[in-house]
């Protein structure tokens, strides 16, 4: 299984086939990924700004990508390493993991990954999620202030760095 993070484009790889199209999107990207078959590589793209949770999701979708889907400690570390290389100190990164709008954000069992993310992995920073301030419908953010790549719950109206998984 090959994993590669890239700030400037996307890459799909399988041991005997490599598809690389720089910053290509749309049909060219789809054709390459289709030819790669069961590609398991993950590429992250920095959208280049701070966005509210829903706006970040929209930005990723507009680029045929999604918010990060973290399925393992390895994925979590790869995202952290990518983000550490491209964002400024003090910024956190939205994940594609959220509590529904009417649900207490301190209840970890209520958080769900985006529909196209087959994950049950979490890496909450204790005591999170805590719904600090009593908000509902929070989003998960990766904290970038230390090397543990732990997560915090935050209000979806907060502006965090938007990184997409393609």
């Amino acid at each position: 299984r090959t994993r590669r993070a890239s700030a400037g484009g996307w890459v799909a790889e399988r041991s005997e086939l490599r598809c690389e199209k720089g910053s290509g999107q749309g049909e060219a990207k789809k054709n390459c990924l289709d030819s790669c078959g069961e590609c398991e590589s993950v590429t992250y793209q920095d959208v280049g700004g701070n966005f509210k949770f829903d706006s970040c999701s929209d930005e990723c979708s507009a680029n045929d990508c999604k918010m990060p889907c973290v399925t393992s400690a390895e994925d979590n570390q790869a995202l952290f390493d990518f983000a550490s290389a491209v964002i400024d100190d003090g910024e956190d990164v939205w994940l594609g993991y959220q509590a529904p709008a009417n649900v207490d954000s301190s209840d970890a069992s209520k958080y769900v990954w985006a529909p196209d993310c087959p994950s049950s992995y979490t890496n909450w920073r204790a005591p999170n999620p805590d719904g600090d301030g009593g908000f509902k419908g929070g989003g998960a953010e990766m904290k970038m202030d230390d090397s543990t790549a732990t997560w915090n719950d935050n209000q979806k109206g907060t502006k965090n760095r938007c990184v997409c998984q393609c």
Side-chain angles (χ1 to χ4, degrees):
R1 196 160 125 158
T2 302
R3 296 200 176 274
R4 178 174 170 197
S6 170
W10 56 270
V11 174
E13 295 184 11
R14 195 172 59 193
S15 59
E16 70 276 6
L17 177 64
R18 177 182 174 91
C19 301
E20 190 164 350
K21 298 287 185 185
S23 61
Q25 296 175 3
E27 194 62 29
K29 176 181 173 182
K30 180 183 180 310
N31 291 339
C32 180
L33 293 175
D34 287 347
S35 70
C36 198
E38 300 264 333
C39 295
E40 295 185 39
S41 67
V42 172
T43 300
Y44 298 109
Q45 284 188 317
D46 176 30
V47 174
N50 294 320
F51 294 84
K52 295 176 181 179
F53 185 94
D54 292 335
S55 297
C56 179
S57 180
D58 292 345
E59 285 290 320
C60 292
S61 293
N63 288 294
D64 295 325
C65 300
K66 62 185 177 183
M67 292 174 73
C69 170
V70 182
T71 60
S72 66
E74 177 186 56
D75 285 350
N76 198 60
Q77 190 61 49
L79 175 59
F80 180 82
D81 292 345
F82 171 81
S84 294
V86 298
I87 68 173
D88 296 326
D89 289 340
E91 293 181 302
D92 296 320
V93 175
W94 283 123
L95 302 173
Y97 196 48
Q98 64 180 316
N102 60 344
V103 173
D104 180 355
S105 293
S106 65
D107 186 348
S109 70
K110 301 297 184 186
Y111 276 74
V112 294
W113 285 102
D116 58 349
C117 177
S119 183
S120 60
Y121 178 82
T122 63
N123 192 34
W124 292 111
R125 177 183 285 184
N128 291 294
D130 61 4
D132 188 24
F135 60 90
K136 294 185 183 292
E141 62 187 7
M142 179 178 281
K143 299 299 288 178
M144 301 301 298
D145 58 358
D146 65 31
S147 62
T148 61
T150 53
W151 308 350
N152 178 57
D153 59 314
N154 207 337
Q155 297 178 37
K156 290 197 247 180
T158 301
K159 289 187 176 183
N160 278 332
R161 193 59 171 233
C162 184
V163 170
C164 302
Q165 178 177 324
C166 305

